[in-house]
């Protein structure tokens, strides 16, 4: 992607800008798809919580730590998500003082719909750009992510706030 400069010479758009624009377009398409499937009340930060509690329950403080934010911010987010039926709070069987957050059936369904969108999106990339190009893109992005920190990519999260 290039743009014309004052001198008439084409200049490439910075790769970071392209990555950001591609991410933005992806998120808009995902939100539109989820909305069309009945998840029109899905907030922009809900996906981070869906992924964090997908494999089990977490306390608000554990969830805040995983998302890299405060317990107060997560409490507000969990309240919204609970009101929409995406998550539920349950008592910790080992400590009655602790409340755990887990996906409610509607949250599991929304996460499954989002994952189906991810697969369709990637298939669309393959159809438009070819298997080799998409594999190369995945390899480059994986290399960037893996080289950024010692923590493995599956343990990291994008900060929602």
């Amino acid at each position: 992607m290039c743009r014309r400069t004052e001198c008439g010479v084409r200049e490439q758009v910075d790769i970071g800008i392209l990555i950001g624009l591609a991410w933005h377009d992806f998120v808009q398409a995902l939100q539109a798809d989820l909305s069309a499937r009945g998840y029109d009340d899905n907030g922009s930060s809900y996906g981070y919580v869906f992924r964090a509690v997908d494999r089990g329950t977490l306390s608000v403080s554990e969830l805040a730590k995983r998302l890299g934010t405060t317990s107060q911010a997560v409490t507000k987010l969990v309240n919204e998500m609970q009101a929409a039926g995406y998550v539920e709070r349950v008592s910790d069987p080992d400590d009655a003082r602790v409340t755990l957050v887990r996906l409610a059936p509607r949250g599991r369904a929304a996460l499954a719909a989002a994952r189906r969108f991810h697969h369709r999106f990637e298939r669309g990339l393959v159809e438009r750009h070819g298997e080799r190009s998409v594999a190369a893109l995945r390899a480059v992005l994986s290399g960037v992510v893996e080289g950024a920190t010692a923590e493995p990519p599956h343990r990291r999260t994008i900060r929602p706030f």
Side-chain angles (χ1 to χ4, degrees):
M1 182 174 198
C2 296
R3 62 178 180 220
R4 199 165 284 285
T5 65
E6 290 179 19
C7 304
V9 177
R10 288 196 130 350
E11 175 184 305
Q12 286 189 337
V13 175
D14 295 333
I15 196 160
I17 299 299
L18 289 174
I19 291 168
L21 290 171
W23 169 253
H24 181 263
D25 290 349
F26 171 82
V27 170
Q28 282 190 317
L30 171 62
Q31 290 294 345
D33 185 82
L34 290 174
S35 182
R37 296 176 192 291
Y39 304 107
D40 55 342
D41 57 350
N42 184 18
S44 61
S45 297
Y46 290 10
Y48 303 101
V49 175
F50 289 156
R51 296 262 179 180
V53 297
D54 180 37
R55 293 193 177 112
T57 58
L58 292 173
S59 68
V60 168
S61 61
E62 291 169 328
L63 186 55
K65 183 177 179 182
R66 181 137 337 148
L67 298 179
T69 190
T70 65
S71 292
Q72 292 84 355
V74 169
T75 297
K76 181 178 183 227
L77 182 59
V78 167
N79 287 344
E80 291 172 15
M81 292 179 73
Q82 185 174 17
Y86 290 113
V87 297
E88 54 194 15
R89 288 180 166 100
V90 294
S91 296
D92 185 332
D94 298 324
D95 187 345
R97 298 169 297 167
V98 176
T99 300
L100 302 174
V101 177
R102 70 178 178 202
L103 287 178
R106 185 165 192 250
R108 282 192 289 283
L111 180 57
R115 286 184 168 142
R116 287 190 301 274
F117 173 83
H118 281 255
H119 292 294
R120 285 192 311 276
F121 184 87
E122 188 164 340
R123 279 196 315 269
L125 287 177
V126 169
E127 289 169 9
R128 285 189 304 283
H129 304 286
E131 185 81 39
R132 288 177 62 180
S133 292
V134 174
L137 175 63
R138 180 181 290 284
V140 168
L141 293 174
S142 294
V144 169
V145 170
E146 289 169 2
T149 180
E151 190 174 10
H154 68 278
R155 298 285 301 160
R156 295 171 54 200
T157 187
I158 299 170
R159 290 185 59 174
F161 305 102

